[in-house]
Amino acid sequence: FQYLKRFDQGCNLDTFWYEALSVEGSPAECLQLFLLHCGIMDPSWAELRNFTWFLNVQLRDCEASVFCNPDFVQDTLNGF
């Protein structure tokens, strides 16, 4: 949710890191963003769960990768 919210606001996601245990927005806002970005017109709860699970795994791996660390790559992969 934190990434999708900032993406919609046009923020630079290259320097953002997930803030564990922080609460942002309401449950309704969270659901609305998931529905907007999941890519399915009328998703089931299972499809929403799979979307959020997959997105979470990808973003966690991205944050853990040295190749996605802006301090390491500097501006060589800007916008990647």
Side-chain angles (χ1 to χ4, degrees):
F1 173 75
Q2 293 177 9
Y3 272 96
L4 290 177
K5 181 178 178 183
R6 284 162 180 76
F7 175 77
D8 278 355
Q9 294 171 345
C11 297
N12 180 3
L13 297 178
D14 292 340
T15 57
F16 175 72
W17 294 94
Y18 168 69
E19 300 167 23
L21 304 176
S22 68
V23 176
E24 294 184 15
S26 66
E29 184 183 9
C30 181
L31 181 58
Q32 184 179 16
L33 274 179
F34 289 157
L35 289 169
L36 180 66
H37 289 282
C38 78
I40 299 172
M41 193 64 129
D42 186 20
S44 66
W45 285 110
E47 290 166 327
L48 280 176
R49 184 222 173 265
N50 289 338
F51 167 72
T52 57
W53 175 81
F54 178 77
L55 184 61
N56 187 50
V57 168
Q58 295 300 309
L59 292 172
R60 190 176 338 138
D61 288 349
C62 179
E63 284 187 354
S65 172
V66 68
F67 298 108
C68 295
N69 184 334
D71 296 329
F72 176 74
V73 296
Q74 297 174 4
D75 66 350
T76 58
L77 297 173
N78 192 17
F80 176 70

